Amino acid sequence: MDACPECAAPVTAQDRFCAACGRNLRLRRTPVGGPPALPDERCPCGEGDYGEDGACPQCGRTRPSPRDRVEFTLPGVAGVSDRGRRRKRNEDSMAFGRARGRGLAVVVCDGVASSERAEQASQLAADTALDVLLTGVLAGSDTEQATTDAATSAGAAVSRLARPEAPELAPSCTFVSASVGLDGTVTVGWIGDSRAYLVAESGAARLTTDDTWAAHLVATGQLTEEEAKTDRRAHVLSRWLGSGAESSTPQVVSLRPATAGALVLCSDGLWNYLPEPEHIADALPLGVPPLEAARRLVDVALEAGGHDNITVVVVQLRGGG
C-alpha cells in the first residue's frame, strides 16, 4: 500500500486517481511556479532565527529569496537551481515531471538578465512547456512534434508578458527540454544557450549547439573556437523565447543511448565552468542518485566562482538502444 503524495491517503499501484483528494497518481511534476524553497529558519551568522519581518535580530541580514536555492526530486530525475555568488536574484527556472508507465519530461530556462522580469519569463516558459510535453508523453505523441509545440507555446506565453510601452525590456529567456520514453529514446529541443549533455558508459557528448552570435561566427569560419571563448559576443543570443524573437521553433534531436548513463540539462552557470562533455563526465559522480549528482555539479560551479545563476537537472538513463 502506497500513500498519495498530495494528501497521504492510502492508494494502490492500480489507482489512477486518489479517492480522497482527486490527484492524478500517474502524473508527478514540479509545482507550477517552481519548487518550494529549502527551509532556512536560521541566519548564516549563527546567532538567531529570522524575525517576523524577515530580518535577523542579531546582524540585520534579511531572509534569502525563496528562489535563491531550490531542489526537487522524482524517481529517476532531480534538479537543483542556485542563485550563485554574484547575482542578486535567481533568474533560472526548471520544471520536470514523469507519467507512470509512460516516460518523463524536463525543461530548463534561463532568464535573459538584460530584460525585465526575467525570472517570471523563465518560470512561465518552463511550466508552459512542461505541460505540453507531459500531455504528449501521456498521449504517446510524436516527441519531436511535442517538443516543437512546447517551445512554441512557451514562446507565446512569454511574449504576452511584454509591456507595449517598453518593448526593449520585454521579458525573455532561453529554453532546453528533454523527453525520455520507456524505450530509452531521448528527444532534446533548445533555443538559446542552455545545454544538454549525455554522459554514458560509452562516452560523453554535447547534444545542443548554442544559439549565440559567437557560435554562429565559429560555424561560418569567422572565428576559431578559442577566439570565440574570449569574444565579447560569446553570450549574445541570436535566438530566444519572448517578444522580438524571430521564431520559437526549436532545434530538435532524438537519440537512443546504447548504454546506461545520465542526461544533464543545465544553464550557462554550469557550462561556463565545465564547457566540454568530458568536463561534465569528470565532475559527475558515478553510482549516486540524480539529486546528489545535480548537487555536486552545482557545487563545482559555486567553488569555481559562481558568477551566474546555476541550474542542473540530471536524468538517469537505462540505455539499451
Side-chain angles (χ1 to χ4, degrees):
M1 183 74 70
D2 296 322
C4 172
E6 187 73 27
C7 68
V11 295
T12 68
Q14 289 71 43
D15 290 334
R16 297 183 60 185
F17 297 91
C18 173
C21 70
R23 179 187 174 116
N24 186 338
L25 298 174
R26 294 194 174 185
L27 183 64
R28 298 175 63 185
R29 57 156 293 167
T30 50
V32 174
L38 297 177
D40 191 6
E41 294 303 322
R42 292 190 64 82
C43 178
C45 76
E47 297 298 324
D49 297 340
Y50 294 106
E52 292 184 0
D53 61 353
C56 173
Q58 300 299 321
C59 71
R61 185 180 313 197
T62 57
R63 186 193 302 272
S65 163
R67 292 181 60 89
D68 281 2
R69 172 85 176 200
V70 294
E71 299 180 354
F72 201 81
T73 185
L74 291 172
V77 56
V80 177
S81 185
D82 193 285
R83 178 170 61 90
R85 302 192 186 279
R86 301 292 183 89
R87 295 299 180 96
K88 293 182 178 180
R89 57 184 177 272
N90 187 0
E91 296 174 336
D92 285 359
S93 296
M94 60 182 182
F96 53 88
R98 62 181 307 126
R100 190 173 68 193
R102 293 288 186 176
L104 60 85
V106 179
V107 183
V108 169
C109 296
D110 181 353
V112 176
S114 59
S115 67
E116 63 179 12
R117 292 173 288 151
E119 67 276 14
Q120 184 180 357
S122 65
Q123 190 65 62
L124 178 62
D127 285 332
T128 300
L130 182 65
D131 284 343
V132 176
L133 290 172
L134 286 178
T135 297
V137 169
L138 284 167
S141 304
D142 178 81
T143 54
E144 294 196 359
Q145 184 60 54
T147 299
T148 297
D149 293 343
T152 300
S153 296
V158 174
S159 293
R160 289 193 289 270
L161 295 176
R163 294 186 294 126
E165 68 275 17
E168 73 281 0
L169 298 176
S172 56
C173 64
T174 68
F175 168 90
V176 64
S177 73
S179 295
V180 182
L182 289 183
D183 64 352
T185 299
V186 177
T187 299
V188 173
W190 70 95
I191 295 175
D193 64 352
S194 291
R195 294 182 177 180
Y197 293 88
L198 173 66
V199 180
E201 295 172 359
S202 55
R206 179 173 146 197
L207 304 180
T208 56
T209 55
D210 297 338
D211 288 321
T212 61
W213 286 111
H216 171 72
L217 293 175
V218 170
T220 56
Q222 299 177 62
L223 287 179
T224 66
E225 289 280 0
E226 289 303 314
E227 290 171 338
K229 292 177 182 178
T230 58
D231 192 277
R232 61 183 176 82
R233 295 161 293 186
H235 288 279
V236 176
L237 296 175
S238 57
R239 300 183 70 234
W240 60 89
L241 289 183
S243 182
E246 293 183 0
S247 170
S248 293
T249 302
Q251 299 188 68
V252 181
V253 63
S254 292
L255 66 154
R256 192 176 176 195
T259 57
L263 180 67
V264 178
L265 273 65
C266 64
S267 63
D268 60 352
L270 176 69
W271 68 253
N272 278 332
Y273 300 108
L274 302 174
E276 302 302 328
E278 56 268 25
H279 298 159
I280 299 287
D282 290 343
L284 191 69
L286 300 176
V288 301
L291 181 58
E292 188 174 335
R295 284 172 175 168
R296 177 55 191 152
L297 290 175
V298 170
D299 286 346
V300 169
L302 290 172
E303 292 162 3
H307 285 69
D308 202 350
N309 306 148
I310 311 151
T311 299
V312 179
V313 179
V314 177
V315 182
Q316 283 182 333
L317 299 176
R318 293 181 301 174

